Amino acid sequence: MSNRNYNIYFHTHTVSGIVISVVLFVIFFAGSFSFFRDEIINWEKNESVSISREIDLNYDAALKKLDKEYILQGRNITISKHSNERRVNISLEGTKDSLAQAKQKEGSFFYLDTKNYKTSTYEESYSLGEFLYRLHFLAQIPYPVGYYLSGFIALFFLFAIVTGVLLHWKKIVSNFYVFRPKEKLKTLWTDAHTALGMIGLPFQFVYAVTGAFFMIKLLIVAPAVMALYKGDQDKLYKELEYTDPEFKFENKKLTVPFSINELVSKAKSNWKDFEINRVMIQNYGDANMHLLVEGELLSTKKFTGNGKVVYRIADGKEIARKNPETQNHYLDVVKNVLYRIHFGDYGGYALKIVSFALGIITCFVIISGVMIWLIARDKKNMPEKKRRFNERVVCIYLAICLSMYPITALAFIASKLFYPLTQSNLYSIYFIGWLLLALFFIIKKNDAFTNKWCLISGSVLGFLIPLTNGIITGNWFWNSFLQNKIQIFFIDIFWIILASITLYVAFSLKSKKNQIAEI
């Protein structure tokens, strides 16, 4: 590689990495916990459900109850499930009946508990799991700023990955096995950055690509809409199969009895290992009422196997079908594979744990990259003012990033002590607590102190999480295990193991005089 190309790759890698480092750390740290989003939500609610995305609901009983409150006549109703919870998502469109009351013409979205049919709004159902999930793509920043910011951060991260690989290409194998912890600090950080960066490379590349795709795809798609579809966005969505077929509202009441339960069961019986995750009713109670039943094959049977059946309610006749075993085309693969590999929902707990570990490793890679940047500029020939500025920048960076660990552990405790914790209160606890912790460590101006006490405080709080859960709910982790409440048991054990590891690391740190502590 020529010196010119090397310098281009080096500076692109360094600049792109430093610019995005803090936000990228937040994204990966919160994203690592997001792999356990469903477990965190169920732990917080003191519930445990089977590991399945299938809707487990008595549709007829639920619709009967909802009809009393919302008057379903003439509405389009969508029942869907995207996570392993007791709740399902309910979306009601305004009625098509022109003579209906004003209230019926309003649409609404809420959650429905599949056991007691209790409804709750998004704000009422907000949880720590949802918070961490949304934090990992900066959704707390007003839309669309947060989404686009996280998307472009992912894009810059992709640049950093590619240029990093190009920089180390010739020594990519030999450097992977080199780790010299007893050498000077810059060597230690460089070895750790390179080795761990290579271990997490496939993981990081996948999440950089898929993260950028999800968050800024609107900007990517916009030119295609204008050029190929002449601004007709609906036509694009139709060709991408994102829109449902529309059936005409006849404004005549359906006179024949019907059972949604029977038709959903009939659709499920068409294919073995087929799980229903979306049910849509069009023109409820109308003579032209239709039912769309969608689902997918278990990932163990087929990685991408989406299917659909459409029934006409008046006579129970099947009018359309998409076979998940034989009718999945290139478009289905493109749409679904990106989601699958990003959410890591196809390999059970083993994949989630490995993904969490790789996410935390990526956080370490980000930190080590910043430390290399600092140490490389800590030279005697550099002006003292500039050296102090660089040290101050890294001090602020470490305070913001590392304090995420104790504040996240504290949020777990608060969500259990004050359950149900409202969305605004959760925001206050997390963001104000995070700010105060970061300010404390910034004022302290000691990177070794910041690193060690973030680990220690996070570990102590981590041990208190299962203790708090046991005292508040009586679900001690051994009881949860014996009662097969796996999700509750998992979160308690997860924190015990994580806190043990970080506490061991904290007390294994050796401070070096006039140098930044090792991690």
Side-chain angles (χ1 to χ4, degrees), residues 17 58 90 92 138 191 272 281 296 306 325 348 370 466 503:
N58 184 328
I90 305 289
L92 302 180
L138 311 180
D191 289 348
K272 186 180 179 181
I281 303 168
E296 58 187 9
N306 294 340
E325 298 175 335
V370 174
L503 191 64

Side-chain angles (χ1 to χ4, degrees), residues 195-385:
L196 292 176
M198 286 309 305
I199 290 172
L201 179 62
F203 173 86
Q204 294 158 14
F205 182 82
V206 164
Y207 281 87
V209 172
T210 55
F213 170 77
F214 291 141
M215 293 296 104
I216 58 176
K217 62 184 175 185
L218 288 177
L219 299 180
I220 299 171
V221 168
V225 174
M226 298 304 296
L228 301 177
Y229 295 90
K230 298 180 180 179
D232 189 350
Q233 182 175 297
D234 293 336
K235 185 178 179 182
L236 170 64
Y237 287 156
K238 187 175 181 180
E239 290 194 9
L240 290 176
E241 299 179 4
Y242 281 122
T243 56
D244 296 304
E246 287 287 340
F247 297 99
K248 185 179 178 182
F249 180 69
E250 294 186 357
N251 205 19
K252 297 178 182 178
K253 282 197 174 184
L254 183 66
T255 56
V256 298
F258 62 89
S259 172
I260 301 299
N261 286 343
E262 291 180 6
L263 291 175
V264 171
S265 297
K266 183 179 178 182
K268 180 177 174 59
S269 65
N270 286 314
W271 305 284
K272 186 180 179 181
D273 297 323
F274 185 67
E275 292 190 333
I276 309 296
N277 53 34
R278 184 172 182 266
V279 172
M280 182 180 183
I281 303 168
Q282 287 205 14
N283 308 323
Y284 185 88
D286 187 70
N288 199 33
M289 177 178 171
H290 283 74
L291 175 70
L292 292 77
V293 182
E294 296 182 1
E296 58 187 9
L297 297 174
L298 291 174
S299 58
T300 52
K301 184 174 182 181
K302 191 173 184 181
F303 195 71
T304 301
N306 294 340
K308 180 193 296 185
V309 185
V310 182
Y311 296 105
R312 185 167 55 224
I313 300 297
D315 55 10
K317 185 178 179 181
E318 181 183 306
I319 63 170
R321 174 189 290 204
K322 180 180 180 181
N323 191 319
E325 298 175 335
T326 61
Q327 291 182 286
N328 279 268
H329 309 298
Y330 174 75
L331 181 61
D332 297 292
V333 174
V334 171
K335 289 193 300 182
N336 295 304
V337 167
L338 289 177
Y339 281 93
R340 283 267 164 133
I341 61 178
H342 188 86
F343 289 102
D345 62 352
Y346 55 89
Y349 280 116
L351 180 61
K352 287 184 177 183
I353 293 169
V354 169
S355 298
F356 175 84
L358 289 172
I360 298 302
I361 284 174
T362 302
C363 291
F364 184 92
V365 171
I366 297 166
I367 288 177
S368 60
V370 174
M371 301 310 293
I372 292 170
W373 175 85
L374 173 63
I375 295 168
R377 283 154 182 76
D378 188 19
K379 297 177 180 178
K380 293 181 181 179
N381 60 355
M382 182 171 285
E384 183 65 21
K385 187 176 180 181

Side-chain angles (χ1 to χ4, degrees), residues 37-38 41-42 47-57 59 77-91 109-115 275-280 292-296 306 340 345 487:
R37 171 183 175 272
D38 299 342
I41 291 173
N42 285 300
E47 299 171 352
S48 191
V49 298
S50 60
I51 310 301
S52 171
R53 295 292 174 89
E54 183 167 38
I55 299 173
D56 181 17
L57 176 67
Y59 298 92
I77 307 164
T78 303
I79 304 171
S80 59
K81 185 178 179 183
H82 305 293
S83 56
N84 298 323
E85 299 178 53
R86 262 174 43 174
R87 303 174 306 164
V88 292
N89 303 347
I90 305 289
S91 177
F109 173 86
F110 53 88
Y111 297 109
L112 178 73
D113 192 306
T114 58
K115 301 299 181 185
E275 292 190 333
I276 309 296
N277 53 34
R278 184 172 182 266
V279 172
M280 182 180 183
L292 292 77
V293 182
E294 296 182 1
E296 58 187 9
N306 294 340
R340 283 267 164 133
D345 62 352
Q487 290 161 319

